[in-house]
Amino acid sequence: MSTDTPFDELARTHGTPLYVYDMDRLDAARHDLVSWLPDGCEVFYALKANPHPELVRALRGPDGRGCRAEISSTGELAAALEAGHAPEDVLYTGPGKTPGELCEAIGLGVRLFSAESLTDLEHIGAAARDQGTVADCLLRINSATASAASGVRMTGKPTQFGIDSETIEDLAPRLLAVPGTTIAGLHLFSQSNAADEAALIGEFLHTIELAAHIERQLGVPLRLLDIGGGFSVPYGQHGERAAYPGLRAELETALDAHFPRWREGAPRLAVESGRYLVGDCGTLLASVSNVKVSRGRTFVVLDAGINTFGGMSGIGRILPVSVRPAPDERDTQRASLAGPLCTPGDILGREIELPAGLAPGDLVAIPNTGAYGPTASLLMFLGRPAPGEAVVRGAEVLSVSRIEHVRTYRKVAEPSG
Ligand SMILES: *Cc1c(COP(=O)(O)O)cnc(C)c1O
């Protein structure tokens, strides 16, 4: 490439594949998200999107008053604590919380859980009682109906997540009586990456109405209402984070109608986001290893594939990526973008527009890769090292790190004889 950029310099110094996370962009994303929300609305950052402790720390904010942490494992809990979160900032979610995990989390001081079923609630309660405490629980609700925004009311799908909303009325007495727990509120997370602002708002309004209905069925006041997320950002493709200029007023109107005391914090409102907060701060730098033509088709082979970016490819979430320079910035060619792994599945884009003239040694940059990068990838497949991760603020490099995998052996009995 002709002009040297900060990316070239970073790639030369630290090697590729290399994720670069720009903290200025991270701050901007958090700032924007908060600006679209009603005053006082809490934001839970879903560590699933990227558990890098420096990103989690930055999202928590210098005064600790930024995002809280939404976690789903003891590994994510460790990352949240390492990033400076107090255990009481943390919401522990997930459909398969084991007694061992619950015991560890409660032992470390976590007191807020999302309960995905009566059994899950009982497990949380048992772990809390074992340690002489009581856990605040949000009942996760699987809505029987989808948003009416499209004018279509659909039946909710069966899933492992949440308690079917139509069963709450019958279950209420048992849910409210689980020793070691108090029902602190509701958790509804019905969509990721909403198509547009109307879809996001429609889902939230539906959720608020349903939450008010469930509050009446339960007969206890909600303290915390987590209405989920769906905030959207491109994934491995060019483009901008979505904007939600109409969201705040719509939420306020719906809350005024259904929860007249919400402005006094009864209940407190919360949303969740992973990708929106971290997606556009990340750029994946990769090097071209080879360019080859097979039966008339061109393959650009990178040193980064589904082991680096694309654990989600198996469920059809990411392809195709796009690379810088953007296709409209200079001549393009149609080619497939392959990774280095010995599997035909290691394709980041099939027959996509790529910059023309790519040659071995060239650097490519895949934008919007701050979410669902390394930890959502097939990191160990084929034994390549994990990608580097550089945290920068403008031109300043704050840290460079890499995840290491280590096999540890347990002691087993000596073979006899
Ligand atoms: C995955 C997940 C999130 C984050 O989703 P994004 O689309 O990255 O914002 C938030 N909450 C829950 C419960 C999730 O499972």
Side-chain angles (χ1 to χ4, degrees):
M1 309 229 159
S2 44
T3 50
D4 210 45
T5 68
F7 284 155
D8 291 288
E9 161 99 38
L10 281 165
R12 223 178 8 252
T13 311
H14 303 289
T16 58
L18 181 71
Y19 279 88
V20 182
Y21 306 122
D22 186 337
M23 295 292 99
D24 284 336
R25 295 186 75 107
L26 186 84
D27 291 348
R30 176 164 73 91
H31 178 270
D32 286 353
L33 182 57
V34 168
S35 78
W36 313 127
L37 296 168
D39 288 342
C41 179
E42 295 187 1
V43 177
F44 283 96
Y45 170 55
L47 266 74
K48 177 179 71 183
N50 191 330
H52 193 305
E54 285 164 64
L55 273 58
V56 180
R57 184 179 291 277
L59 288 170
R60 183 176 166 265
D63 52 4
R65 298 174 70 182
C67 300
R68 296 175 68 179
E70 200 236 286
I71 59 159
S72 192
S73 68
T74 46
E76 288 187 346
L77 174 56
L81 298 179
E82 185 185 340
H85 278 291
E88 53 273 18
D89 285 345
V90 170
L91 168 62
Y92 203 123
T93 69
K97 300 185 270 307
T98 65
E101 283 176 287
L102 289 168
C103 172
E104 185 175 336
I106 289 169
L108 287 166
V110 178
R111 288 294 176 273
L112 181 61
F113 292 85
S114 165
E116 306 255 1
S117 64
L118 177 59
T119 314
D120 193 29
L121 189 65
E122 288 166 348
H123 290 167
I124 298 165
R129 278 196 307 158
D130 274 351
Q131 303 190 42
T133 186
V134 176
D136 277 334
C137 292
L138 307 180
L139 297 178
R140 180 156 178 192
I141 306 297
N142 173 23
S143 171
T145 51
S147 154
S150 58
V152 184
R153 285 210 159 237
M154 302 176 346
T155 307
K157 293 200 183 80
T159 116
Q160 72 267 48
F161 299 110
I163 305 170
D164 293 341
S165 58
E166 67 275 21
T167 67
I168 292 285
E169 183 147 43
D170 288 347
L171 274 178
R174 293 166 72 192
L175 293 166
L176 290 166
V178 176
T181 68
T182 34
I183 304 303
L186 300 179
H187 175 206
L188 296 101
F189 183 82
S190 53
Q191 67 177 345
S192 253
N193 219 10
D196 54 27
E197 182 173 29
L200 186 83
I201 290 174
E203 199 59 45
F204 280 151
L205 299 191
H206 172 67
T207 293
I208 289 167
E209 192 183 331
L210 176 65
H213 179 67
I214 291 177
E215 183 181 49
R216 285 191 295 276
Q217 290 182 323
L218 288 171
V220 295
L222 306 180
R223 282 184 279 136
L224 182 62
L225 173 58
D226 178 346
I227 60 173
F231 306 98
S232 168
V233 63
Y235 186 37
Q237 309 240 4
H238 294 282
E240 302 290 322
R241 268 188 287 114
Y244 301 105
L247 176 60
R248 179 192 182 108
E250 294 270 9
L251 285 178
E252 290 179 350
T253 305
L255 289 163
D256 286 340
H258 293 286
F259 293 95
R261 295 186 50 233
W262 75 277
R263 290 174 196 270
E264 303 147 43
R268 280 180 293 126
L269 180 70
V271 298
E272 304 173 356
S273 174
R275 70 186 69 226
Y276 190 86
L277 290 165
V278 294
D280 85 344
C281 83
T283 304
L284 171 59
L285 305 181
S287 301
V288 176
S289 300
N290 197 1
V291 179
K292 60 178 288 188
V293 176
S294 168
R295 308 214 161 100
R297 306 259 167 138
T298 303
F299 290 80
V300 174
V301 184
L302 301 179
D303 59 1
I306 56 175
N307 57 330
T308 302
F309 181 66
M312 309 297 259
S313 62
I315 47 178
R317 289 250 185 108
I318 74 153
L319 305 181
V321 303
S322 53
V323 303
R324 269 189 199 119
D328 55 355
E329 284 169 21
R330 63 177 208 187
D331 292 346
T332 63
Q333 58 177 334
R334 253 192 128 57
S336 291
L337 197 60
L341 305 186
C342 296
T343 161
D346 194 13
I347 295 282
L348 293 180
R350 208 175 288 283
E351 294 289 305
I352 58 175
E353 289 299 321
L354 293 176
L358 285 174
D362 280 352
L363 189 69
V364 300
I366 304 177
N368 291 318
T369 48
Y372 304 109
T375 58
S377 296
L378 298 177
L379 273 186
M380 297 189 66
F381 194 35
L382 278 139
R384 287 176 174 259
E389 296 177 82
V391 178
V392 306
R393 189 178 284 283
E396 188 191 355
V397 179
L398 304 178
S399 77
V400 182
S401 63
R402 190 156 58 78
I403 295 171
E404 298 277 0
H405 289 285
V406 187
R407 184 186 300 274
T408 54
Y409 283 88
R410 286 183 178 211
K411 271 215 162 21
V412 292
E414 296 285 330
S416 54

